[in-house]
Amino acid sequence: MKKKAVVNDTSVCQVRIQAISDTMSVLSGKWKFHIVGTLIEGNKLGFMDLLREVNGIGTKMLSKELQDLEMNQLVSRTVMNTKPITVEYALTEYGKTLSPLIDELAKWGVGYRQSIIDSKSI
Amino acid sequence: MKKKAVVNDTSVCQVRIQAISDTMSVLSGKWKFHIVGTLIEGNKLGFMDLLREVNGIGTKMLSKELQDLEMNQLVSRTVMNTKPITVEYALTEYGKTLSPLIDELAKWGVGYRQSIIDSKSI
DNA sequence: GGAAGTGGTTACCTATAGGAAACCACCTTG
DNA sequence: CAAGGTGGTTTCCTATAGGTAACCACTTCC
């Protein structure tokens, strides 16, 4: 019996793999990270605000993605009692726990872009 | 001139949004986080090892995703001079900078799963 | 009354992500 | 020489993600 080059079959590792799947399934698609990232910066935003801020998104996708995020308790939707009715989208307390993740995402992206620039100038 | 409820038009913010896009474009698709996550655990792995470890992936996707990652300098591909030819995939030094990001991803996923369990048991 | 701004939904279309399976080459073992 | 293990590529197919545009309702402004 040869020893297989298996990684690490401990439950810790299985949990980790499962956890990555879970996170990705909640934040799947092209826009959710952007929307959450924007809401971290903006605190409370209306639909049209988000449409402007999230570069390139259309009404359909924004609407759908917000529903997804609301379903997963990450975003709250509050209809305000104003003259032209307005709706406020904001991160829930739980949604705010995504901050460190989004920060890492942004941080890595900055470094990545810099590394491309550096490699070009050699 | 009404003040628009614009988030934060500073360059810091624009960079951040751009950075999130960058990261997501490099790690797009269903499998890249899994593959990188597995390589973090496993150090050096062969094609068949990855095929076994990354649950559910097929040869085509694994092959394609590894090429993508190699192109972006995140993964190295080394053909070993062994009797039945073997290939070692490993994270590059730059690929290892993804560790904190993957860790956050996994950490959040664990918390998320727990929050689902908790909300059920109330 | 019509334009313009709020916040969407719906229908339609297409590009592509991703899966299954066949196939290829090379080497070793029986 | 056939089987089985390495490491893939190619073809073919489909599900779905995502884009465009039309449309809806309500309100205020002119």
Side-chain angles (χ1 to χ4, degrees):
Chain A
M1 249 178 69
K2 238 191 286 187
K3 184 169 183 306
K4 278 190 203 158
V6 163
V7 178
N8 196 348
D9 225 349
T10 63
S11 60
V12 176
C13 186
Q14 293 305 307
V15 165
R16 186 188 162 85
I17 289 170
Q18 183 63 253
I20 292 174
S21 290
D22 291 345
T23 307
M24 294 312 292
S25 73
V26 173
L27 295 171
S28 63
K30 190 174 170 179
W31 299 109
K32 295 206 183 67
F33 280 107
H34 293 271
I35 294 172
V36 173
T38 304
L39 285 172
I40 289 175
E41 302 290 317
N43 199 16
K44 290 169 188 296
L45 294 173
F47 188 85
M48 288 303 176
D49 295 329
L50 283 167
L51 204 57
R52 276 188 293 265
E53 294 298 324
V54 181
N55 205 301
I57 199 170
T59 58
K60 187 188 98 170
M61 288 311 294
L62 181 55
S63 177
K64 202 208 93 192
E65 299 292 65
L66 284 170
Q67 281 175 24
D68 285 356
L69 291 169
E70 198 190 346
M71 224 180 309
N72 286 317
Q73 319 278 323
L74 300 177
V75 162
S76 66
R77 179 180 187 276
T78 314
V79 178
M80 305 304 285
N81 190 18
T82 49
K83 318 87 183 225
I85 192 171
T86 55
V87 181
E88 273 182 10
Y89 292 95
L91 288 182
T92 60
E93 283 309 307
Y94 193 63
K96 287 176 188 166
T97 63
L98 283 167
S99 272
L101 177 50
I102 304 273
D103 283 349
E104 283 295 334
L105 210 62
K107 203 193 300 178
W108 194 87
V110 170
Y112 178 71
R113 179 164 286 259
Q114 193 57 49
S115 78
I116 303 275
I117 294 168
D118 290 350
S119 70
K120 274 185 188 157
S121 65
I122 290 175
Chain B
M1 250 182 61
K2 236 193 288 189
K3 184 169 184 303
K4 278 190 206 162
V6 163
V7 178
N8 194 347
D9 226 349
T10 62
S11 60
V12 177
C13 188
Q14 292 306 307
V15 165
R16 185 187 162 87
I17 288 169
Q18 182 64 251
I20 293 174
S21 291
D22 291 345
T23 306
M24 295 311 292
S25 73
V26 172
L27 295 171
S28 62
K30 190 176 172 180
W31 299 110
K32 295 207 185 66
F33 280 108
H34 293 271
I35 294 172
V36 173
T38 304
L39 285 172
I40 289 174
E41 302 290 319
N43 198 16
K44 290 168 187 296
L45 293 173
F47 188 84
M48 288 303 176
D49 295 330
L50 283 165
L51 203 58
R52 277 187 292 265
E53 294 300 324
V54 181
N55 205 302
I57 199 171
T59 58
K60 188 188 98 172
M61 289 310 295
L62 181 54
S63 175
K64 203 208 93 195
E65 299 293 64
L66 283 170
Q67 281 175 24
D68 285 358
L69 291 169
E70 198 191 345
M71 224 179 311
N72 286 317
Q73 318 278 323
L74 300 178
V75 162
S76 66
R77 180 182 188 274
T78 314
V79 179
M80 304 303 284
N81 190 18
T82 49
K83 318 90 184 226
I85 190 170
T86 56
V87 181
E88 274 184 9
Y89 292 95
L91 289 180
T92 62
E93 283 310 306
Y94 193 62
K96 288 177 188 165
T97 62
L98 283 167
S99 272
L101 177 50
I102 304 277
D103 283 349
E104 283 296 333
L105 209 62
K107 204 192 302 177
W108 195 86
V110 170
Y112 177 71
R113 178 162 286 256
Q114 194 57 51
S115 78
I116 304 275
I117 294 169
D118 290 350
S119 69
K120 273 186 191 160
S121 63
I122 290 174

